[in-house]
Amino acid sequence: MSVPLEPTDQAIARELNANGRTSFTDLAERVGLSVSAVHQRVRRLEQRGVIKGYTARLDGEQIGLPLTALISLTPNDPAAPDDYPQRLEHIREIESCYSVAGDESYVLLVRVPSPAGLEDLLRRIRESAKVSTRTTVVLSTPFEGRPAAL
């Protein structure tokens, strides 16, 4: 069971969630602590797993991956072990893998360079995981990667 964040740690998490590049000096100013106190708290939040990492969000169009799709997975054999994430982790085009409730077992978020790339990816997913797929192609993304509502 997770322990709720106390208000100061919640403020630090909120600031870093909005901008992971915020300096410790700016962070200290915003939450009303010394730089060393903020540094210690951030380190503790990292150790607890509250902060899982820091990343850059890239524009798919500009890096040659303009096609985004959501792929729902349904097992071909319902009695098969539920090890689909392990079977698929080697496929780099899969950006996220969500275990879901409903008809499907998992939903994947993928980015590929073209419809042919998506077709090839679907073939590799089906072969690796022994699943059937249902694909939704993203037409536009009004917003993505919003900060968590803390």
Side-chain angles (χ1 to χ4, degrees):
M1 181 152 132
S2 63
V3 178
L5 293 178
E6 59 98 354
T8 302
D9 285 345
Q10 194 173 54
I12 290 169
R14 185 174 30 256
E15 291 293 331
L16 288 173
N17 193 35
N19 181 2
R21 294 182 60 154
T22 301
S23 70
F24 286 124
T25 302
D26 289 343
L27 198 52
E29 214 172 272
R30 290 182 189 147
V31 300
L33 294 175
S34 70
V35 173
S36 63
V38 163
H39 189 267
Q40 287 176 337
R41 283 177 178 260
V42 168
R43 191 172 55 241
R44 276 198 310 265
L45 289 169
E46 291 169 345
Q47 290 169 344
R48 281 180 54 192
V50 173
I51 297 172
K52 293 183 175 189
Y54 304 87
T55 62
R57 291 194 324 246
L58 305 177
D59 183 304
E61 295 265 344
Q62 294 192 45
I63 61 169
L65 300 171
L67 198 156
T68 301
L70 301 168
I71 302 172
S72 300
L73 307 181
T74 303
N76 289 338
D77 176 6
D82 185 359
D83 60 354
Y84 305 109
Q86 294 80 12
R87 291 188 205 183
L88 298 170
E89 66 188 347
H90 69 280
I91 300 176
R92 300 296 304 153
E93 295 91 340
I94 301 172
E95 189 174 298
S96 300
C97 176
Y98 305 100
S99 175
V100 296
D103 293 336
E104 291 90 8
S105 297
Y106 290 89
V107 174
L108 310 175
L109 172 67
V110 304
R111 296 185 196 273
V112 293
S114 65
L118 180 57
E119 187 174 30
D120 176 64
L121 175 60
L122 289 168
R123 179 190 53 74
R124 290 185 287 136
I125 289 170
R126 289 178 190 129
E127 288 174 359
S128 294
K130 308 295 185 240
V131 294
S132 62
T133 60
R134 185 174 56 85
T135 304
T136 303
V137 173
V138 175
L139 299 177
S140 70
T141 306
F143 54 84
E144 178 178 54
R146 293 168 60 174
L150 296 174

